[in-house]
Amino acid sequence: MTFKPNIEQSFPLMPYSQLVWDMMKYEPKIYNNQILLKVSKKQVDTEKIKNAFRKAFLNHPAFSTRIDENGLQTFFDTNDILHGQFHSVDFTDEADSLKISVSINRILGDGASGRILIEDFIKAYLGEQLEKDNYANYLAQLEKYKLTERYQLHKQWLEQHFAGDYPVHPRTDLPLSEKVESYEALYFDDYTAQRTALTELGVKYVVSLSAIVSLAACLAIMDYNGMDISAITWAYEGREKLEEQRVFGSLHRDIPLLIKKENSKAGLLRQIRQELRDGISHSTYPYTLTPPYSDKWNYAVNVLQMDSVESMLAIMPFPFEVLDTEKPRLAYSLLDIEIYDEQQLTIVYRYSSAHYKEESIRRFASLVRLHIEQLCRE
């Protein structure tokens, strides 16, 4: 099967993809996410699985792009859709099972893209029609939008709103000026016992779980740094329009949130609601990812609501076994806060082990917990 693109124009990279591209100049394999799957031959038709992978990947133009030295992406003809500049899918037939190694770099797509690809694989396996991915059209429309007055007004609003000096992360143990190779470390905090209280708080004040965690993180940064103001970023999936719903690409946006300390719980929750609304409404301008602002915001705490690989694969019509491929990974971010609302409600702190000691992250996590408990208290 050959993919033939319906457009020959080149486009600039999406903002987060540009960030990854720039980082690749120093670390070529950065954000290269790999998963190894295994399925029993007694349960599936392995040729049908292989064809379903090809059909799913063929449905998304991102897998037929090539990025040149100037950071421009161009769609091209390919007769091997499962192997490209930033992705690969390889099959290994064994006596009683099929192993599938999938590698997709973050430059191609965001978290929502992974769910879209899995859904398309299922449809392809079941012989159902796939919905078209209008990625090329999305990129073309975005370039037109960048020329509008509204785009510039969003830039001006963001520059004015986020002017000033305030921390965007807990104070580091090692100065950021120290250039060191750092590996990623994880700290897990179980909030399953607080799930009901968090749900009730969200309903009462019309705030999402990720908004509550974001607010608590801002307050914890203030406590940790001895300040009365702080900011973070929040990961927003975007995809508001119908034609964007099936796009595999890096459409997510980093929404900056600025919070000032106050004693009223209702006032704090009003602040986070307003920050989220304003942030989303102005988010078509990639403020946090654009120089010179990115010099500061690249180090901001980022709050993300995540799906585990296991939970995404749970919708498969047959069981995939996920094989362990975990290796020590370089730290790509200073500190991310990931929320997994699944069978257990877990907050994961993914941090640079060179810049934070484990006891420092434990202290910060305890401050986040303290503020969440205070918010949940009547």
Side-chain angles (χ1 to χ4, degrees), residues 137-154:
N137 183 62
Y138 174 84
L139 293 173
Q141 293 302 315
L142 180 60
E143 290 310 300
K144 289 182 181 179
Y145 181 72
K146 289 179 182 179
L147 303 175
T148 66
E149 181 182 5
R150 186 177 181 183
Y151 186 77
Q152 293 304 316
L153 289 173
H154 285 176

Side-chain angles (χ1 to χ4, degrees), residues 90-150:
D90 293 293
F91 305 102
T92 303
D93 280 287
E94 299 187 337
D96 58 354
S97 63
L98 176 69
K99 285 185 178 178
I100 308 152
S101 175
V102 182
S103 176
I104 302 177
N105 193 281
R106 176 62 179 79
I107 199 169
L108 294 179
D110 51 22
S113 296
R115 293 198 300 273
I116 292 168
L117 186 63
I118 288 172
E119 290 166 2
D120 278 1
F121 168 81
I122 294 171
K123 287 181 179 179
Y125 184 82
L126 297 175
E128 299 175 3
Q129 186 172 355
L130 307 186
E131 298 175 62
K132 185 178 180 181
D133 180 341
N134 290 302
Y135 183 47
N137 183 62
Y138 174 84
L139 293 173
Q141 293 302 315
L142 180 60
E143 290 310 300
K144 289 182 181 179
Y145 181 72
K146 289 179 182 179
L147 303 175
T148 66
E149 181 182 5
R150 186 177 181 183

